[in-house]
């Protein structure tokens, strides 16, 4: 049978290479095959490089481990000094607080002695009027029936796993809570108010310093008791105040404790005497009394007992 055209006149059949068969017959690219042949022929350089890489890796791991060990040891070595410094600061704070309390008690004793000498020097009516003014301004100790508003922080939560800090959110009493309660007690008719035994006057301040609450720059801690002496209707008026409604709602939502109770025979101490910075005569030599009255009415602000309120700290 000839290889020419068939009886039908069609051209001879052309066969193309079988690429799939060729791929399975020679699966490796020639370049990879040459590289493998060279590695088989010269094995020493490749082994040397692998040994070098392993040695460098081991050295790097050893150096990093050594640095971590040194850092850990330094941290442990510094920990006693930090703890000792912290303990020293705590001891100094307690010592200063004890000295302050002792000086305050001594000042109270001296004030009582001054009052006795003053009452002996003045007539009965003048001494009584002066004592009444001192009681109204907070500079004299008072005794009577009234209310005690008690606020207690909620139970502390577990500390954060990373920082170790506990939640300092709305479940803690903040300084603005004490401000609102004190101001509403004044509005309800209180004649004298004290926070944890510290008497409030017209110049008293309740503010925060970090997580601490300061009353006249002295720290107070939970539980907080706001004591007030006033008329019998004071409780009903305070229960209807905005601060009482707010604190009842906060206590219900967060677990914070809020309690209002009547108390008999409350004794509120006197506030420290204010430091006079300057003084001027009520009537200057070159002006008339009417001019002085006009100047005083234009320059004076609102008066009366209360607490100054720095910005922030609202519920």
């Amino acid at each position: 049978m000839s290889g020419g055209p068939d009886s039908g006149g069609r051209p001879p059949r052309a066969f193309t290479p079988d690429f799939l068969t060729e791929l399975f017959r020679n699966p490796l690219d020639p370049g990879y095959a040459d590289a493998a042949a060279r590695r088989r022929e010269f094995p020493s350089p490749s082994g040397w490089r692998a040994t070098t890489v392993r040695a460098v890796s081991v050295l790097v791991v050893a150096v990093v481990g050594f640095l971590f060990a040194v850092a850990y040891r330094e941290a442990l070595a510094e920990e006693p000094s930090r703890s000792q410094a912290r303990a020293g600061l705590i001891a100094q704070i307690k010592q200063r607080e004890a000295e302050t309390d002792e000086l305050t008690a001594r000042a109270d004793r001296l004030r009582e002695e001054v009052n006795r000498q003053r009452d002996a020097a003045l007539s009965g009516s003048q001494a009584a009027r002066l004592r009444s003014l001192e009681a109204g301004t907070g500079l004299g100790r008072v005794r009577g029936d009234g209310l005690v508003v008690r606020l207690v922080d909620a139970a502390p939560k577990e500390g954060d796993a990373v920082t170790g800090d506990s939640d300092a959110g709305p479940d803690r009493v903040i300084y603005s809570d004490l401000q609102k309660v004190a101001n509403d007690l004044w509005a309800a008719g209180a004649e004298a108010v004290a926070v944890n035994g510290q008497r409030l006057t017209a110049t008293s301040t309740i503010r925060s310093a970090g997580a601490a609450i300061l009353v006249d720059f002295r720290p107070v801690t939970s539980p907080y008791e706001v004591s007030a002496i006033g008329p019998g209707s004071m409780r009903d008026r305070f229960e209807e105040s905005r601060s009482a409604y707010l604190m009842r709602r906060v206590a219900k939502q967060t677990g914070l404790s809020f309690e209002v109770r009547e108390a008999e025979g409350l004794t509120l101490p006197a506030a420290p005497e204010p430091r006079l910075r300057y003084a001027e005569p009520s009537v200057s030599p070159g002006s008339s009394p009417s001019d002085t009255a006009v100047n005083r009415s234009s320059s004076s602000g609102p008066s009366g007992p209360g607490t100054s309120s720095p910005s922030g700290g609202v519920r």
Side-chain angles (χ1 to χ4, degrees), residues 124-168:
S125 60
Q126 292 177 336
R129 181 172 180 271
L130 189 57
R131 285 194 297 270
S132 177
L133 291 175
E134 287 180 340
T137 56
L139 300 181
R141 185 173 59 181
V142 294
R143 180 181 176 85
D145 299 337
L147 296 179
V148 175
V149 181
R150 181 181 174 91
L151 301 95
V152 185
D153 295 337
K157 299 179 180 179
E158 294 183 0
D160 185 79
V162 177
T163 62
D165 297 333
S166 59
D167 185 14

Side-chain angles (χ1 to χ4, degrees), residues 78-155:
E78 293 178 0
E79 183 63 25
S81 60
R82 286 196 297 265
S83 300
Q84 185 177 2
R86 183 174 180 275
L89 291 175
I90 293 175
Q92 291 181 11
I93 292 173
K94 291 182 177 180
Q95 180 183 0
R96 297 294 188 273
E97 289 179 349
E99 293 176 356
T100 302
D101 294 340
E102 183 180 354
L103 292 175
T104 301
R106 182 185 177 191
D108 292 340
R109 292 193 299 268
L110 292 176
R111 181 188 299 177
E112 292 178 359
E113 179 65 24
V114 170
N115 292 339
R116 286 194 294 269
Q117 296 292 338
R118 181 195 61 196
D119 293 343
L122 296 175
S123 62
S125 60
Q126 292 177 336
R129 181 172 180 271
L130 189 57
R131 285 194 297 270
S132 177
L133 291 175
E134 287 180 340
T137 56
L139 300 181
R141 185 173 59 181
V142 294
R143 180 181 176 85
D145 299 337
L147 296 179
V148 175
V149 181
R150 181 181 174 91
L151 301 95
V152 185
D153 295 337

Side-chain angles (χ1 to χ4, degrees), residues 23-300:
L23 177 62
F24 281 102
R25 183 180 302 169
N26 298 312
L28 193 61
D29 186 87
Y32 290 106
D34 295 340
R38 284 196 300 270
R39 283 197 299 270
R40 287 193 299 269
E41 186 178 358
F42 304 100
S44 299
S46 176
W48 179 80
R49 280 197 297 269
T51 304
T52 303
V53 170
R54 285 195 296 269
V56 171
S57 301
V58 171
L59 180 62
V60 170
V61 171
V63 171
V64 172
F66 176 75
L67 293 177
F68 274 115
V70 171
Y72 179 74
R73 185 173 181 180
E74 290 293 332
L76 290 181
E78 293 178 0
E79 183 63 25
S81 60
R82 286 196 297 265
S83 300
Q84 185 177 2
R86 183 174 180 275
L89 291 175
I90 293 175
Q92 291 181 11
I93 292 173
K94 291 182 177 180
Q95 180 183 0
R96 297 294 188 273
E97 289 179 349
E99 293 176 356
T100 302
D101 294 340
E102 183 180 354
L103 292 175
T104 301
R106 182 185 177 191
D108 292 340
R109 292 193 299 268
L110 292 176
R111 181 188 299 177
E112 292 178 359
E113 179 65 24
V114 170
N115 292 339
R116 286 194 294 269
Q117 296 292 338
R118 181 195 61 196
D119 293 343
L122 296 175
S123 62
S125 60
Q126 292 177 336
R129 181 172 180 271
L130 189 57
R131 285 194 297 270
S132 177
L133 291 175
E134 287 180 340
T137 56
L139 300 181
R141 185 173 59 181
V142 294
R143 180 181 176 85
D145 299 337
L147 296 179
V148 175
V149 181
R150 181 181 174 91
L151 301 95
V152 185
D153 295 337
K157 299 179 180 179
E158 294 183 0
D160 185 79
V162 177
T163 62
D165 297 333
S166 59
D167 185 14
D171 56 348
R172 298 188 60 181
V173 178
I174 57 179
Y175 74 94
S176 60
D177 298 335
L178 298 181
Q179 285 182 349
K180 293 182 179 68
V181 169
N183 287 330
D184 282 343
L185 284 173
W186 289 121
E191 302 172 3
V193 178
V195 179
N196 282 20
Q198 297 192 46
R199 186 77 172 274
L200 299 183
T201 66
T203 58
S204 295
T205 59
I206 301 177
R207 61 183 67 234
S208 64
I213 299 179
L214 305 180
V215 177
D216 283 338
F217 302 101
R218 297 199 64 180
V220 293
T221 57
S222 179
Y224 306 95
E225 289 191 350
V226 185
S227 305
I229 295 177
S233 61
M234 182 173 57
R235 176 167 186 173
D236 295 334
R237 296 179 62 182
F238 176 75
E239 291 283 5
E240 298 175 355
S241 65
R242 189 174 185 277
S243 64
Y245 168 77
L246 174 64
M247 295 311 302
R248 282 194 294 265
R249 188 180 67 180
V250 171
K252 184 177 180 181
Q253 294 175 351
T254 65
L256 180 147
S257 177
F258 175 72
E259 177 190 357
V260 181
R261 60 180 175 86
E262 295 182 351
E264 297 181 356
L266 285 176
T267 300
L268 303 186
E273 292 187 4
R275 180 181 300 176
L276 300 179
R277 300 183 180 276
Y278 60 89
E280 59 184 7
S282 59
V283 179
S284 59
S287 62
S288 62
S290 60
D291 295 337
T292 304
V294 171
N295 293 334
R296 183 182 302 168
S297 63
S298 62
S299 61
S300 62

